[in-house]
């Protein structure tokens, strides 16, 4: 088969960047929507319904890829789903008492935490730039979150969720492949829904109370969930992981913009300075990764399929 001409590659690459940027904007829009929704629907209940809907849709789209998974891959998908469910619960509960703009930036620190945890847990080599970025991000987190000498409960939970997201990425970097990505994602969505359902059952399942809340939930399940995954999968098939990660580092920026424009949050010096430091740390890590050769490890330049971190 004759390879497409360079112009075709360039056109698809540009389209992929634009599509991935749109997906990232969608993810950023969910922060303030979730914050409003969890005032009426408990976090576990919301997540169970959201991922239940997403899992059904994703299985309809990716049933062939899901059925093709081996028993080992199904077990791996279930384990990854549990890990991701914990991150989602921590992040969503944290949003109950954390500004959406701050939550977006704190969640984005998974990009810095991934190589750091890889070094600590897996003895992976981490460039000096990654450690510098970690210090910058820590300073940004302090500006955003510290209340005196203590961190607020919601901010601590959100930072914890970022650490769990980083562990999820490390696991995927070790065991996921392009051929199993869609099937594993579908299994994970189903397991996330199940875990959150178990967490919600003791107090009973609370559903959205009005049409507006259902619209928000369906938007997050269909558009920011199943639809975004489909668009992301196509886009990242035409981009390097590093280039995709740089685009997706815009997520906390979109989260802050939507929170200010539509969520009624104020632009404060903490948001500008702290958020700017965290974002700078993200780009430092990813731009440094871009300088690596093609022999970089999965942790230094992770597979594009694993960079999925919407809320």
């Amino acid at each position: 088969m004759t390879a497409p001409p360079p112009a075709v590659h360039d056109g698809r690459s540009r389209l992929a960047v634009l599509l991935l940027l749109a997906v990232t904007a969608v993810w950023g829009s969910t922060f303030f929507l979730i914050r409003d929704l969890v005032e009426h629907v408990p976090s576990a209940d919301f997540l169970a319904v959201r991922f239940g809907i997403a899992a059904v849709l994703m299985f309809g789209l990716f049933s062939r890829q899901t059925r093709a998974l081996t028993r080992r891959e199904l077990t791996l998908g279930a384990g990854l789903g549990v890990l991701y469910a914990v991150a989602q619960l921590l992040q969503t509960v944290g949003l109950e008492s954390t500004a959406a703009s701050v939550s977006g930036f704190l969640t984005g620190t998974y990009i810095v935490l991934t190589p750091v945890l890889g070094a600590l847990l897996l003895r992976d080599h981490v460039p000096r730039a990654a450690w510098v970025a970690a210090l910058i991000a820590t300073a940004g987190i302090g500006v955003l979150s510290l209340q005196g000498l203590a961190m607020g409960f919601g901010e601590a939970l959100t930072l914890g969720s970022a650490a769990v997201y980083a562990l999820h990425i490390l696991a995927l970097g070790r065991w996921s492949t392009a051929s199993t990505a869609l099937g594993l994602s579908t299994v994970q969505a189903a397991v996330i829904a199940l875990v959150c359902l178990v967490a919600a059952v003791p107090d009973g399942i609370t559903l959205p109370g009005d049409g507006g809340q259902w619209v928000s939930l369906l938007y997050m399940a269909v558009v920011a969930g199943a639809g975004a995954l489909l668009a992301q999968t196509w886009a990242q098939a035409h981009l390097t992981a590093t280039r995709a990660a740089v685009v997706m580092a815009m997520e906390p920026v979109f989260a802050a913009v939507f929170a200010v424009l539509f969520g009624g949050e104020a632009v404060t010096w903490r948001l500008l300075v702290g958020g700017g430091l965290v974002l700078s740390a993200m780009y430092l890590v990813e731009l440094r990764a871009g300088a690596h050769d093609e022999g970089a490890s999965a942790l230094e330049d992770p597979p594009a399929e694993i960079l999925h971190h919407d809320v």
Side-chain angles (χ1 to χ4, degrees):
M1 181 181 293
T2 303
V8 174
H9 284 303
D10 291 343
R12 288 179 178 176
S13 180
R14 284 193 293 268
L15 178 59
V17 169
L18 293 175
L19 188 59
L20 192 57
L21 191 61
V23 169
T24 305
V26 168
W27 287 339
S29 71
T30 63
F31 284 87
F32 83 93
L33 289 175
I34 290 175
R35 179 169 169 77
D36 289 341
L37 191 57
V38 294
E39 292 181 0
H40 307 281
V41 181
S43 297
D45 305 47
F46 153 71
L47 290 171
V49 176
R50 178 193 172 185
F51 281 98
I53 294 172
V56 170
L57 290 174
M58 289 167 66
F59 186 76
L61 290 169
F62 312 130
S63 59
R64 179 177 60 82
Q65 293 90 335
T66 305
R67 294 178 187 275
L69 295 176
T70 65
R71 179 176 297 181
R72 177 182 178 278
E73 290 164 348
L74 286 171
T75 302
L76 172 63
L80 291 169
V82 171
L83 199 61
Y84 201 86
V86 172
Q88 287 281 312
L89 285 167
L90 288 173
Q91 183 181 20
T92 307
V93 173
L95 256 173
E96 295 177 8
S97 57
T98 305
S101 52
V102 173
S103 179
F105 282 108
L106 293 180
T107 301
T109 59
Y110 82 92
I111 294 177
V112 175
L113 291 172
T114 298
V116 173
L117 290 177
L120 295 176
L121 300 178
L122 303 176
R123 300 185 183 280
D124 198 68
H125 171 69
V126 178
R128 182 180 301 175
W131 295 113
V132 174
L135 293 175
I136 295 174
T138 300
I141 291 169
V143 173
L144 279 169
S145 310
L146 290 182
Q147 301 170 3
L149 296 179
M151 176 176 283
F153 180 68
E155 289 85 354
L157 288 180
T158 306
L159 191 58
S161 76
V164 180
Y165 282 132
L167 292 174
H168 182 264
I169 289 173
L170 290 172
L172 278 174
R174 285 293 187 261
W175 295 297
S176 179
T177 65
S179 63
T180 63
L182 295 179
L184 285 177
S185 296
T186 303
V187 172
Q188 288 181 79
V191 171
I192 294 167
L194 180 61
V195 171
C196 295
L197 180 63
V198 170
V201 162
D203 295 325
I205 303 296
T206 301
L207 298 175
D210 57 43
Q213 293 174 18
W214 272 109
V215 168
S216 294
L217 190 148
L218 289 173
Y219 167 77
M220 286 180 276
V222 177
V223 179
L229 177 61
L230 180 61
Q232 178 198 12
T233 301
W234 183 89
Q236 293 186 350
H238 298 82
L239 297 172
T240 65
T242 297
R243 190 173 179 187
V246 170
V247 175
M248 285 195 284
M250 285 297 294
E251 180 183 0
V253 177
F254 282 121
V257 169
F258 280 113
V260 171
L261 293 180
F262 303 108
E265 295 188 14
V267 179
T268 65
W269 73 268
R270 282 181 175 269
L271 178 63
L272 293 175
V273 176
L277 287 172
V278 172
L279 193 61
S280 297
M282 295 178 197
Y283 274 100
L284 178 59
V285 168
E286 296 306 332
L287 292 176
R288 176 61 181 82
H292 291 175
D293 59 26
E294 294 183 357
S297 71
L299 293 179
E300 293 169 336
D301 191 13
E305 297 86 13
I306 72 176
L307 297 173
H308 179 63
H309 57 282
D310 72 308
V311 295

